[in-house]
């Protein structure tokens, strides 16, 4: 399991490399303080869970999800949400 804790100045670009690793390894990625991303970024992550992959600009690779991949968001109150 990959764990990410978001801070006030983080954005979706902060978590995409970690999500990419989780996709390739077939792991769950748990994102704490997910509300800090905002609704549009959370919606993009939900779409990502049902996609066939995404293009990583930094590495030039298409990252594809392997079995077992999932995203979990945890809000500031500790509520856990499956994204997708």
């Amino acid at each position: 399991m990959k764990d990410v804790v978001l801070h006030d100045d983080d954005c979706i670009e902060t978590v995409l490399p970690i999500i990419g690793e989780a996709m390739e390894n077939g792991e769950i990625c748990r994102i704490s303080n997910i509300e800090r991303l905002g609704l549009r970024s959370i919606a993009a992550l939900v779409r990502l869970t049902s996609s066939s992959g995404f293009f990583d600009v930094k590495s030039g690779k298409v990252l594809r999800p392997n079995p077992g991949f999932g995203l979990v968001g945890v809000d500031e109150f500790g509520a856990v949400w499956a994204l997708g």
Side-chain angles (χ1 to χ4, degrees):
M1 178 180 289
K2 302 277 185 203
D3 284 310
V4 181
V5 177
L6 296 175
H7 303 283
D8 289 334
D9 57 341
D10 288 333
C11 60
I12 194 167
E13 287 82 8
T14 305
V15 297
L16 283 178
I18 299 164
I19 292 172
E21 286 179 36
M23 288 176 81
E24 288 189 315
N25 297 331
E27 296 178 281
I28 301 292
C29 184
R30 177 184 161 114
I31 305 169
S32 297
N33 300 325
I34 194 156
E35 72 281 352
R36 293 181 180 174
L37 287 180
L39 293 178
R40 286 187 181 180
S41 294
I42 293 170
L45 292 178
V46 170
R47 285 201 46 125
L48 180 63
T49 62
S50 62
S51 74
S52 60
F54 74 92
F55 181 72
D56 182 8
V57 176
K58 289 185 181 181
S59 70
K61 298 186 327 184
V62 175
L63 303 175
R64 302 192 189 286
N66 283 307
F69 168 69
L71 289 176
V72 175
V74 182
D75 68 18
E76 63 185 317
F77 303 108
V80 178
W81 307 89
L83 303 178

